[in-house]
Amino acid sequence: MRTEDLLAAIATGLWRWDSVSGAVSYDAEAARLVGLPAEPVTLPEAAARACFHPADWLEIKAIVDLAVAEGTLAEARLRIVDEKGTVLRTVRTRSRPIARGGSEDGYYLLGTLQEVPDPLPGTSAAGPPVTGDWRRNREAFLLDAGRALAEAMSTAEVLRVAAGLSMPGFSPEGLAVFGVQGERISVIGHHGPRPGADHPFHDIGLGTDYPAAEVVRTGRAVYLPTPEEYRGRFPAAWSLGRPRKRRSWAFLPLIVAGRTIGAWMAGFAHPVSFSPDERSVLTTIARMLAQALSRTALQETERELADGLQRSMLPASKPDIPGLTVAARYVPTGGGLQVGGDWYDVIGLPSGRTALVIGDVQGHDVHAAGIMGQLRIAVRAYASEGHHPDAVLSRASRFLAGLSALDGPDGPDGRYGPRFATCLYMEVDPVAGTLDIARAGHPDPAVRLADGTMMIRPTAGGLPLGIDPDTDYPTTRVVLEPGETLLMCTDGLIETGGHDLETGWDRIRKVFERPATLTDDPGALPSHGLGSDDLEALADSLVQAVHGPPSHHTTGPLADRREDDIALLLIRREAEVCLVGPGSAPVRRTAVTVAQAEPERIAGTRQQLRDMLHDWADPDQVESAVLMLSELVTNVLVHTDGDALLVAEVSGRHGSRRLRLDVADSSDELPHRRRPGELASSGRGLLLLEMLADNWGVDPRGDGKCIWYELYEASPNARPDPAADGSAPRA
């Protein structure tokens, strides 16, 4: 008797599906069961699909894919419907995929069809579904598990997520993840009761008779629904491992891009039959787990590479400068390898002084990091030769311009073009407290005075490095008084979080001034004597203000972009003992030079004075002080041939302080009072001093003169008598 006749006698039909052409062939009995005439027929996939309920067709597709991946049988129940969608019968199918000869991707699916009594004929297609609540719970579980694994940022976090999986209807009692290292596999994560690291299968060879080893060797899952099947298939592993507490096991391969990277074991304390639905859940979890482990392993490798690259480009040890305390930070904030063009350096000079450098190469990529490394070495070499700050930056600019010329207009590979870099180079004399600063398009440094006030120190500068090889970089000398702290930073600290220069500096000011702010008591002194640990804490606070939780509440007016790195250097000149006596307060002082060729710097001096007087009691007095400053400095630039040297000093206790401002020049000609007419555009400088200043005068000097004025922080009725104060009389 033929096989077809024997199967027809028991109401069982045969069918075959070609995965390449999509053709579906039925014998006579199978054609009858799907609602076609009882004769052999071959249909295209679309015509065959019309015989089945749409939901069931999608289900059989998923089950077949699972069977193909595992090399197992595909079993399912399918509802046969007519043209109106009415369910005619329910059939059960069992099929096995067979590879096509000469084709690596295609296969034949050979199977049987057999009628089952449920549901009854005439039931609507919208009747009781085959899936049920369990399948909906499974889909919700897979969505939650996929989201949790996708959000995991490290291998340890992926393993924690895997350990917390609670599958609907058949939650495992124990989980283990095996990783592959050469010809060996080892447990890299586990959950649930199991022996420790001395377990015989904790670290084994791929040739071992153990389910996880076979899964890695073959790339196919191993399901062991009963202890008897485990003992029969893997007798050596059963006798050594003695897995007596569990009743069922599933070992699945972790495959990424066709490569098996490990295995995943799920052990169950109760018997599990591993139906197609259950195998589908386990296979989906294994795929997601493999992708998550591969992604986090790559990220951890990149982070390790980035950390090593960063460490190699930064100073190897904390600098030790007598009389100065130094703190530094570098924070990568972008994507990719998390490396960019920001850097800082501390260089010992032949003169015995120390150079501090901070810079930022354009861009945030590996190419920017490479240019940064070359530029850092060049700056260190030029500084070690003993060149002054202006010469160091000039040579560095020519060096970077030469690198850009080698790259060409679009770079050697069509991706990278010429780059420029900003830089701030500072030569420090810790004994005298002088800082010789040269700046190439970089943000100015900021100084926190002894009483806690922050001021931005305007410095002369030139174009960024690499733009014009012949650019000059003038040097500005700044005096760092005892107890003062200076901040050098890249624009990532200022502008990250949607800030521009103005709002970014305002944010930094709130943090920078915090360690030495005045108390509510106007007569109380600010807290000083900060040690090196406090400077380290200040550096952490500055970074935290940008990337910590407070930054979410202090975003600026621009788009919040966080792809820029942060580099910062803090230096503090240690305060001398007994500089501040009992009952006195620290002196707030600043000095600025305005050159004849730089009248635009007058605006910067006005802003500095406002910063000095930010906590002055009377705002009108602040505006008067700024107006007199503008008048005195402008007179020097207009009526003399020299530069204006401005020194401003605030002394006394809060609420009764004195502002003294000196403007010196090299001219011997003393100012004299004029009587300008109503339409005159000049000649009112001394009149403004008489009207607005509490005290003023002119002091002749051997190399010129100094015009000064004083303001007292008090209401007009409470201001002290200048004669009683012993100050110089008006000129």
Side-chain angles (χ1 to χ4, degrees), residues 394-612:
S394 295
R395 285 167 168 76
S397 183
R398 286 193 289 271
F399 172 81
L400 185 55
L403 288 181
S404 299
L406 292 176
D407 279 351
D410 297 317
D413 56 2
R415 292 187 301 161
Y416 301 125
R419 300 291 180 102
F420 64 84
T422 65
C423 185
L424 186 68
Y425 182 94
M426 179 185 302
E427 185 175 318
V428 181
D429 183 348
V431 177
T434 58
L435 312 173
D436 293 330
I437 303 173
R439 187 170 58 88
H442 202 80
D444 286 305
V447 175
R448 189 180 74 193
L449 305 181
D451 69 341
T453 301
M454 189 197 91
M455 297 181 61
I456 300 173
R457 292 289 193 188
T459 55
L463 294 173
L465 305 178
I467 293 181
D468 183 0
D470 298 325
T471 300
D472 293 328
Y473 297 97
T475 301
T476 302
R477 172 161 291 189
V478 173
V479 177
L480 192 65
E481 301 289 346
E484 293 184 347
T485 303
L486 182 136
L487 166 67
M488 307 163 59
C489 66
T490 56
D491 57 359
L493 183 68
I494 303 172
E495 297 179 349
T496 296
H499 289 272
D500 53 22
L501 280 176
E502 182 178 354
T503 61
W505 276 121
D506 288 341
R507 173 179 56 178
I508 291 175
R509 184 188 308 278
K510 296 176 182 177
V511 180
F512 201 27
E513 293 182 342
R514 190 180 303 157
T517 52
L518 294 169
T519 64
D520 295 334
D521 182 5
L525 297 179
S527 58
H528 297 288
L530 299 175
S532 59
D533 293 339
D534 297 303
L535 200 64
E536 295 290 338
L538 176 57
D540 291 335
S541 298
L542 289 169
V543 174
Q544 184 75 1
V546 176
H547 287 282
S551 67
H552 299 295
H553 306 286
T554 59
T555 54
L558 307 178
D560 186 359
R561 301 170 59 190
R562 295 176 177 267
E563 71 277 9
D564 203 0
D565 295 345
I566 292 175
L568 66 90
L569 273 170
L570 288 169
I571 62 171
R572 184 178 64 244
R573 189 179 179 193
E574 299 300 339
E576 299 177 7
V577 180
C578 296
L579 277 180
V580 179
S584 62
V587 175
R588 189 181 301 177
R589 182 184 296 108
T590 185
V592 181
T593 299
V594 181
Q596 282 282 337
E598 299 176 321
E600 66 276 3
R601 294 195 63 191
I602 298 178
T605 61
R606 289 197 295 262
Q607 184 58 46
Q608 280 208 72
L609 186 58
R610 285 194 173 95
D611 291 343
M612 282 191 69

Side-chain angles (χ1 to χ4, degrees), residues 126-318:
V130 176
T131 56
D133 292 338
W134 185 89
R135 188 159 300 148
R136 286 192 292 271
N137 293 337
R138 179 195 69 180
E139 293 171 354
F141 159 74
L142 291 177
L143 286 175
D144 292 339
R147 182 171 56 252
L149 289 171
E151 294 175 352
M153 299 305 295
S154 66
T155 299
E157 192 172 347
V158 170
L159 296 176
R160 284 196 299 271
V161 172
L165 295 177
S166 179
M167 301 176 193
F170 66 116
S171 295
E173 178 259 353
L175 301 170
V177 177
F178 299 84
V180 180
Q181 291 288 340
E183 294 297 320
R184 303 190 67 80
I185 63 173
S186 60
V187 176
I188 62 175
H190 73 280
H191 172 67
R194 73 165 189 89
D198 57 345
H199 188 266
F201 302 115
H202 184 269
D203 184 10
I204 59 177
L206 284 178
T208 306
D209 184 26
Y210 184 62
E214 178 176 314
V215 165
V216 174
R217 289 195 307 268
T218 63
R220 292 190 171 184
V222 172
Y223 296 104
L224 305 172
T226 63
E228 291 75 20
E229 186 165 350
Y230 193 144
R231 183 171 53 247
R233 290 187 60 179
F234 304 96
W238 177 268
S239 61
L240 289 176
R242 300 182 180 275
R244 302 291 191 266
K245 295 183 179 180
R246 294 168 184 163
R247 308 301 299 170
S248 299
W249 300 262
F251 293 83
L252 296 99
L254 301 177
I255 301 175
V256 177
R259 183 173 62 91
T260 303
I261 64 171
W264 176 51
M265 186 277 292
F268 301 86
H270 56 280
V272 178
S273 62
F274 297 116
S275 66
D277 281 326
E278 293 167 340
R279 295 203 311 269
S280 176
V281 171
L282 292 170
T283 301
T284 303
I285 290 296
R287 291 172 179 171
M288 292 190 298
L289 182 60
Q291 292 292 334
L293 287 173
S294 176
R295 172 179 54 82
T296 55
L298 178 60
Q299 291 176 346
E300 289 171 352
T301 301
E302 291 177 346
R303 282 195 293 268
E304 184 177 354
L305 174 61
D307 290 342
L309 181 60
Q310 292 160 14
R311 285 193 296 267
S312 68
M313 292 182 177
L314 297 177
S317 60
K318 184 177 178 180

Side-chain angles (χ1 to χ4, degrees), residues 610 613 618-629 692 711:
R610 285 194 173 95
L613 303 178
D618 187 355
D620 291 336
Q621 279 190 313
V622 176
E623 295 305 317
S624 297
V626 171
L627 177 60
M628 290 186 286
L629 165 81
L692 301 177
L711 285 177

